[in-house]
Amino acid sequence: MTPDLALGIGANLRKSAYFDATLQAGVRSFSVYNHMLIPAHFGNPEAEYQRLIDGVVMWDVAAQRQVEITGPDAGRLVQYLTPRPLAGTRVGQGRYVPLCNHDGLLINDPVLLKLAEDRYWLSVADSDIHLWAAAIGHERGWDARVFEPDVSPLAVQGPKAVEVIAALFGDWVRALRYFAFRETTLAGIPLVLARSGWSKQGGFELYLTDSRHGTELWNRVAAAGAPFGMIPGAPNDAERVESGLVSYGSDMRLQVVPADPFEMGLGALVDLAGGHAFVGRAALSLRASQPPARQRCGFVIDGNPPAPGHQVALRHAGEVVGVLTDLVFSPRLQQCIGLGLLRSDRLQAQDLTVDLPGGDVRVTPVALPFDRAR
Amino acid sequence: MTPDLALGIGANLRKSAYFDATLQAGVRSFSVYNHMLIPAHFGNPEAEYQRLIDGVVMWDVAAQRQVEITGPDAGRLVQYLTPRPLAGTRVGQGRYVPLCNHDGLLINDPVLLKLAEDRYWLSVADSDIHLWAAAIGHERGWDARVFEPDVSPLAVQGPKAVEVIAALFGDWVRALRYFAFRETTLAGIPLVLARSGWSKQGGFELYLTDSRHGTELWNRVAAAGAPFGMIPGAPNDAERVESGLVSYGSDMRLQVVPADPFEMGLGALVDLAGGHAFVGRAALSLRASQPPARQRCGFVIDGNPPAPGHQVALRHAGEVVGVLTDLVFSPRLQQCIGLGLLRSDRLQAQDLTVDLPGGDVRVTPVALPFDRAR
């Protein structure tokens, strides 16, 4: 855990549909994501981690905004925005779709929800994809509207999440496959229920489609979770690093740590063999023609140094050979671990160091996810 | 002033080149702007206001990121991005250039710095213009590179700012006109010195072009300011509302309070008479063909209610007729004032109310800037 500073609450930072409910529930720290406040923890991140692993937690993830693309050319535009082929994607199905700029560098990695043949949501990480996607659609002269709809995801995550969601919606939710979703209601509150979420512990996301019902939805979900010991929490850095999940903004960001899909281990989602046109295709073809100079990997970190709160250089014999982007204490492995990008010719190096504020610390690269290391 | 909450410091929030220096100088609260931490105050916003008005303050505004556009088609692309005509803009000259999307709605309002005939910076407000501008340049097939350079603005603002800057750089700075700039150095530290800043009290911005020198530059500027009573501060909401300065993200934001340049009082910068092509031209022509339905104006607010921290509805006889986007206590006017958008047929209404969390409060629309009201 990194230390907390004070955050000034102004009109420039958007409030989630669940903002009042999270204050009521005792949120203790926020971050900012897509210009919106997002809870960071409720006072005890270690307990939130444990409940995520062995029970169930609920998270305000409304800052995971939606970019809606709708109209006759919506499917064409969505396909043009991502290197991943979308043929065969059914209505009611989600897909993880990395987005690259024209230089083939990652600018976001949303989940795509296909709501209809001519209607899609990109559930985006922390960058203004709505501006980028709209510009491309307009410049190509395509008939597709791009905008941010009134949608506020609420996540229920953990091995007991399915019990909470079944108690709320019925047993049909047990049959929902990973990334599948359905439009439904809860006591008249309109939402899209998806089997998804930013952890590897299983769970659901409720995409509320009318923000006026934020507090009511939060309270109904909290009440249904109480018998299962559910507590409020937030996307958990320790669990997501253990699981190797990508976080655009931390692991890479165009302006800070530029990275292409091959370096990030997402090369299988780049369809250069297929014929479909997409942003960055020429640049990605060039990048694919030689092995990536860097590769994403995990790191085991000596001792118990505090997280620096920013990216730090990895060194080998004094030379910079990569970047450590995340550092957490892993309760599962009972040691400090991290994520980063490392030069491909040093993946076996045993004597790497990282420049932490408290001094140099030895790190050892390992394969992802960390589960395999056990 | 709105209350402070705790902010979790993670690798997802970028640290300014002056981050360490501001911690050392006693920063007490941050906000987040362009995915970067920006100081909100140093413990006494009222004193910072007063020093801005009658002395000099220094602000870390590195979160005002630059979008650099360079190459043979750079000038063509920059002109295409804004409705404001740029013919006649000289190297070394800045211009305020609102940016609209293809629907004619504002998406940012940067200052443009023309560094060379084929090299420009957009000093942007809080949205990812680098993604939008690069997409447009590439889709049009123009030969222009769009990227974020290593540039970190530091502002020195207030009536005594010129004394501090003259002490550092020499008396030539006194002749620099508003928005003019020059590339120079300070003890070998490379920077661009501009007569500009986000207040109406006069001042300069030092665009540091090598972030490794952030602490050294901060310390040198602080030392030069000490004889003039300079203190650290942050962009000051009370002063900027009094002065009627626009804040993208608070006053309007595409996803929250969409607004066009005519509504925002920026119609004079939209060149529909001239022949130049620009993003949103067709939509803006249509919008210009009738008077704007809403207009930006100031408001005098009864009593001394706390700022809600978000946009709130304005009502007339129960009906929603606009939005109040900002609310501050004005030391100059000794009353609460605000900014917002009001239906054009209610600009003279004397019995408007605003839905504040503590209850309805009466507000009176006034012309901007508030100085005129005195």
Side-chain angles (χ1 to χ4, degrees):
Chain A
M1 263 221 75
T2 45
D4 286 342
L5 298 173
L7 171 66
I9 300 296
N12 59 315
L13 299 179
R14 307 161 72 185
K15 313 300 173 292
S16 145
Y18 311 111
F19 180 68
D20 292 341
T22 59
L23 287 181
Q24 193 68 35
V27 61
R28 293 282 293 278
S29 176
F30 285 93
S31 190
V32 175
Y33 198 84
N34 284 321
H35 316 288
M36 182 174 277
L37 294 170
I38 180 170
H41 66 77
F42 283 70
N44 191 341
E46 293 77 13
E48 292 170 25
Y49 169 90
Q50 202 50 49
R51 203 60 61 88
L52 168 62
I53 298 294
D54 62 21
V56 55
V57 291
M58 66 187 289
W59 301 344
D60 167 9
V61 288
Q64 181 186 302
R65 305 306 295 165
Q66 308 307 299
V67 176
E68 181 161 332
I69 304 181
T70 184
D73 289 329
R76 188 179 181 188
L77 176 55
V78 166
Q79 179 59 95
Y80 185 66
L81 297 180
T82 180
R84 181 168 187 180
L86 299 175
T89 307
R90 293 181 305 277
V91 171
Q93 193 180 0
R95 280 199 188 276
Y96 179 67
V97 292
L99 307 181
C100 293
N101 69 5
H102 288 78
D103 298 321
L105 295 167
L106 288 156
I107 57 171
N108 208 294
D109 65 329
V111 172
L112 173 74
L113 287 82
K114 182 170 180 175
L115 294 147
E117 290 299 332
D118 61 355
R119 185 167 171 244
Y120 300 81
W121 286 345
L122 292 167
S123 191
V124 297
D126 185 26
S127 69
D128 288 329
I129 292 305
H130 67 105
L131 296 177
W132 177 79
I136 291 171
H138 277 283
E139 287 296 324
R140 299 190 82 79
W142 290 346
D143 188 0
R145 189 172 161 233
V146 178
F147 65 102
E148 184 184 288
D150 177 8
V151 178
S152 304
L154 179 66
V156 177
Q157 299 285 297
K160 295 182 186 168
V162 65
E163 302 306 329
V164 177
I165 299 302
L168 283 164
F169 293 91
D171 277 330
W172 65 268
V173 305
R174 298 180 189 274
L176 211 57
R177 298 174 70 165
Y178 191 66
F179 269 7
F181 64 85
R182 192 187 287 188
E183 297 189 56
T184 181
T185 59
L186 182 70
I189 303 172
L191 57 87
V192 168
L193 179 67
R195 193 154 205 163
S196 57
W198 204 56
S199 83
K200 286 280 187 195
Q201 309 312 313
F204 294 80
E205 287 175 298
L206 287 68
Y207 290 76
L208 170 65
T209 55
D210 183 343
S211 54
R212 293 173 302 178
H213 298 291
T215 299
E216 187 191 348
L217 181 61
W218 176 280
N219 289 340
R220 284 184 180 273
V221 173
F228 302 97
M230 185 169 73
I231 59 172
N236 192 284
D237 241 21
E239 191 277 341
R240 80 102 186 158
V241 172
E242 289 174 347
S243 300
L245 290 174
V246 172
S247 175
Y248 184 79
S250 294
D251 299 358
M252 74 293 200
R253 180 186 288 284
L254 183 61
Q255 311 96 302
V256 185
V257 182
D260 72 32
F262 306 110
E263 294 174 309
M264 291 299 293
L266 303 172
L269 304 180
V270 178
D271 181 34
L272 292 169
H276 93 271
F278 55 87
V279 177
R281 184 175 174 117
L284 287 165
S285 295
L286 203 61
R287 287 172 187 273
S289 66
Q290 44 197 2
R294 299 181 305 175
Q295 286 180 48
R296 183 173 199 246
C297 60
F299 295 92
V300 171
I301 294 153
D302 274 16
N304 193 7
H310 54 83
Q311 292 79 13
V312 284
L314 288 166
R315 290 181 190 273
H316 186 230
E319 187 186 5
V320 173
V321 293
V323 58
L324 185 79
T325 54
D326 305 273
L327 189 167
V328 298
F329 179 79
S330 163
R332 191 189 303 170
L333 302 174
Q334 285 294 309
Q335 60 190 0
C336 276
I337 60 173
L339 297 172
L341 287 160
L342 181 59
R343 252 171 52 184
S344 302
D345 60 359
R346 307 299 162 99
L347 293 176
Q348 307 304 326
Q350 295 302 304
D351 43 357
L352 296 176
T353 57
V354 60
D355 297 352
L356 291 178
D360 288 0
V361 170
R362 210 171 71 98
V363 303
T364 310
V366 296
L368 287 174
F370 283 94
D371 308 68
R372 286 195 206 144
R374 283 191 298 178
Chain B
M1 262 222 79
T2 46
D4 287 342
L5 297 173
L7 171 66
I9 301 295
N12 59 316
L13 298 179
R14 307 161 71 186
K15 313 301 173 292
S16 145
Y18 311 111
F19 181 68
D20 292 341
T22 59
L23 287 182
Q24 194 67 33
V27 61
R28 292 282 293 277
S29 175
F30 285 94
S31 189
V32 175
Y33 198 83
N34 284 321
H35 316 288
M36 183 175 276
L37 294 170
I38 181 170
H41 66 77
F42 284 71
N44 191 342
E46 293 76 14
E48 292 170 25
Y49 169 91
Q50 201 52 48
R51 203 61 62 89
L52 168 63
I53 299 294
D54 63 21
V56 55
V57 291
M58 66 186 290
W59 302 343
D60 167 8
V61 290
Q64 182 185 300
R65 305 306 295 165
Q66 308 307 299
V67 176
E68 181 161 332
I69 303 181
T70 185
D73 290 329
R76 187 180 184 189
L77 176 55
V78 166
Q79 179 59 96
Y80 185 66
L81 297 180
T82 179
R84 182 168 186 179
L86 299 175
T89 306
R90 294 182 304 277
V91 171
Q93 193 180 1
R95 280 199 189 276
Y96 179 66
V97 291
L99 307 181
C100 294
N101 69 3
H102 288 78
D103 298 321
L105 296 168
L106 288 156
I107 57 171
N108 208 294
D109 65 330
V111 172
L112 173 74
L113 287 83
K114 182 171 180 173
L115 294 148
E117 290 299 333
D118 60 355
R119 184 167 171 245
Y120 300 81
W121 286 345
L122 292 167
S123 191
V124 297
D126 185 26
S127 69
D128 288 330
I129 291 305
H130 68 104
L131 295 178
W132 178 79
I136 290 171
H138 276 283
E139 286 296 325
R140 298 189 83 78
W142 290 346
D143 187 0
R145 187 172 163 235
V146 177
F147 65 101
E148 184 183 288
D150 177 8
V151 178
S152 304
L154 179 67
V156 178
Q157 299 286 296
K160 296 183 184 167
V162 66
E163 303 305 328
V164 177
I165 299 301
L168 283 164
F169 293 92
D171 276 330
W172 65 268
V173 305
R174 298 180 190 275
L176 211 57
R177 299 173 70 163
Y178 191 66
F179 270 6
F181 64 86
R182 192 186 288 188
E183 297 189 56
T184 182
T185 59
L186 182 69
I189 304 171
L191 56 87
V192 169
L193 178 67
R195 193 153 203 163
S196 56
W198 203 57
S199 82
K200 286 281 188 192
Q201 308 313 313
F204 294 79
E205 287 175 300
L206 288 68
Y207 290 76
L208 170 65
T209 55
D210 183 343
S211 54
R212 293 172 302 177
H213 298 291
T215 298
E216 187 191 348
L217 180 61
W218 177 280
N219 289 341
R220 284 184 180 273
V221 173
F228 303 96
M230 185 169 73
I231 58 172
N236 191 284
D237 240 22
E239 192 275 341
R240 80 100 185 159
V241 172
E242 288 174 348
S243 299
L245 290 174
V246 172
S247 175
Y248 184 79
S250 294
D251 298 359
M252 74 291 199
R253 181 186 288 285
L254 182 61
Q255 311 95 304
V256 185
V257 182
D260 71 33
F262 306 110
E263 295 173 310
M264 290 300 292
L266 303 172
L269 304 180
V270 178
D271 180 34
L272 293 169
H276 93 270
F278 56 87
V279 177
R281 183 174 176 117
L284 287 164
S285 295
L286 202 62
R287 287 172 188 271
S289 66
Q290 45 197 2
R294 300 181 304 175
Q295 286 180 47
R296 184 173 199 245
C297 59
F299 295 92
V300 171
I301 294 152
D302 274 16
N304 193 8
H310 53 83
Q311 292 78 12
V312 284
L314 289 165
R315 290 182 189 272
H316 187 231
E319 188 186 5
V320 173
V321 294
V323 58
L324 185 80
T325 54
D326 305 273
L327 190 167
V328 298
F329 179 79
S330 163
R332 190 189 305 171
L333 302 173
Q334 286 293 309
Q335 59 190 0
C336 276
I337 60 173
L339 297 171
L341 287 161
L342 181 59
R343 252 171 53 183
S344 303
D345 59 359
R346 307 299 163 99
L347 294 175
Q348 307 304 325
Q350 295 301 303
D351 43 357
L352 296 175
T353 58
V354 59
D355 298 352
L356 292 177
D360 288 0
V361 170
R362 209 172 71 98
V363 303
T364 310
V366 296
L368 286 174
F370 283 95
D371 308 68
R372 286 194 207 146
R374 285 190 297 178

